Amino acid sequence: NAGVMQNPRHLVRRRGQEARLRCSPMKGHSHVYWYRQLPEEGLKFMVYLQKENIIDESGMPKERFSAEFPKEGPSILRIQQVVRGDSAAYFCASSASFDNEQFFGPGTRLTVL
Amino acid sequence: GNSVTQMEGPVTLSEEAFLTINCTYTATGYPSLFWYVQYPGEGLQLLLKATKADDKGSNKGFEATYRKETTSFHLEKGSVQVSDSAVYFCALRQIQGAQKLVFGQGTRLTINP
């Protein structure tokens, strides 16, 4: 059973470009969480989604960031007009239900030049 | 709001030394408590957990006890190995409502042979 998959593993963007990060949850999991890890810091919650629904986006910056989890396909975290401060590792986790263990992917390391 | 405070690192020990990484939390109600481990370049892996007061989580020689009276969940291991070198994160999750994990800032552990 494959684990949580994220791609790309490394992403380099110039200021002003768009970044798209993908997360495929574990088989059978319909709950997805996105976290951001800034250098030398812990992970900070961004958004919690179920299929086609955003359940909690209290950790998402108000501008430039959006997330989706369509009926078919991976969850996407989209960052428009990236700035240097967006450079971080973005981790996705999935779970089978809202109170089950969250399994983490390997992360996407975004570097903004 | 909910928060987790961890012992600041980095921590450097010799092989076979005793390890303690302190973790205290602030939360309403009775959260579940977790320790995650992150090896270089990888995502987080659940190390152990406890869901109620006085529970002891254990795995791979590590253990931690949920202490409600001191709001603590300190991680211990009696004899560390070089392979234990990693970053360790303490985290909590509320039972009710939001299912997001709240993480401490992480403690980098290096074990020298």
Side-chain angles (χ1 to χ4, degrees):
Chain A
N1 188 13
V4 178
M5 298 177 68
Q6 290 188 248
N7 66 81
R9 293 291 306 273
H10 300 275
L11 182 61
V12 178
R13 285 288 178 265
R14 296 191 180 280
R15 281 178 297 170
Q17 292 183 319
E18 178 179 287
R20 283 188 178 231
L21 288 62
R22 294 174 184 77
C23 169
S24 296
M26 286 180 68
K27 187 176 180 181
H29 287 191
S30 59
H31 299 248
V32 166
Y33 310 79
W34 285 93
Y35 295 85
R36 177 166 65 175
Q37 183 181 31
L38 295 171
E40 302 302 320
E41 292 188 15
L43 280 72
K44 297 286 195 291
F45 168 79
M46 300 181 75
V47 62
Y48 164 35
L49 311 101
Q50 293 181 39
K51 282 287 187 181
E52 301 184 275
N53 290 303
I54 295 175
I55 307 302
D56 180 354
E57 56 181 347
S58 58
M60 287 279 271
K62 296 289 184 250
E63 297 178 349
R64 303 187 297 107
F65 285 72
S66 62
E68 63 177 9
F69 188 16
K71 187 176 180 182
E72 301 291 336
S75 175
I76 306 286
L77 179 67
R78 181 183 179 202
I79 312 172
Q80 295 178 292
Q81 299 173 351
V82 296
V83 301
R84 288 213 174 111
D86 297 333
S87 295
Y90 292 82
F91 289 95
C92 166
S94 74
S95 66
S97 68
F98 73 98
D99 59 350
N100 274 21
E101 178 183 343
Q102 295 179 25
F103 292 84
F104 282 80
T108 294
R109 281 157 180 80
L110 172 66
T111 301
V112 179
L113 301 178
Chain B
N2 300 331
S3 66
V4 176
T5 302
Q6 278 182 244
M7 164 181 175
E8 285 201 26
V11 174
T12 302
L13 296 172
S14 298
E15 207 166 19
E16 299 183 3
F18 184 85
L19 169 71
T20 300
I21 301 178
N22 289 340
C23 171
T24 57
Y25 67 90
T26 301
T28 54
Y30 305 99
S32 292
L33 300 174
F34 304 83
W35 277 100
Y36 282 84
V37 59
Q38 183 181 31
Y39 297 102
E42 298 184 12
L44 276 69
Q45 300 174 25
L46 178 63
L47 181 59
L48 53 84
K49 67 179 181 182
T51 57
K52 61 182 187 295
D54 300 324
D55 266 3
K56 178 185 284 188
S58 61
N59 186 26
K60 300 181 181 178
F62 291 90
E63 58 182 36
T65 301
Y66 190 143
R67 301 284 187 202
K68 180 172 172 290
E69 63 276 13
T70 54
T71 61
S72 65
F73 193 54
H74 305 320
L75 182 69
E76 296 181 336
K77 186 174 184 182
S79 176
V80 292
Q81 306 300 314
V82 172
S83 57
D84 294 326
S85 298
V87 181
Y88 292 81
F89 292 95
C90 186
L92 69 80
R93 190 182 73 193
Q94 288 287 22
I95 301 296
Q96 303 291 340
Q99 294 303 308
K100 61 189 177 186
L101 289 162
V102 177
F103 287 90
Q105 72 271 32
T107 302
R108 183 176 300 278
L109 174 66
T110 301
I111 307 300
N112 294 321

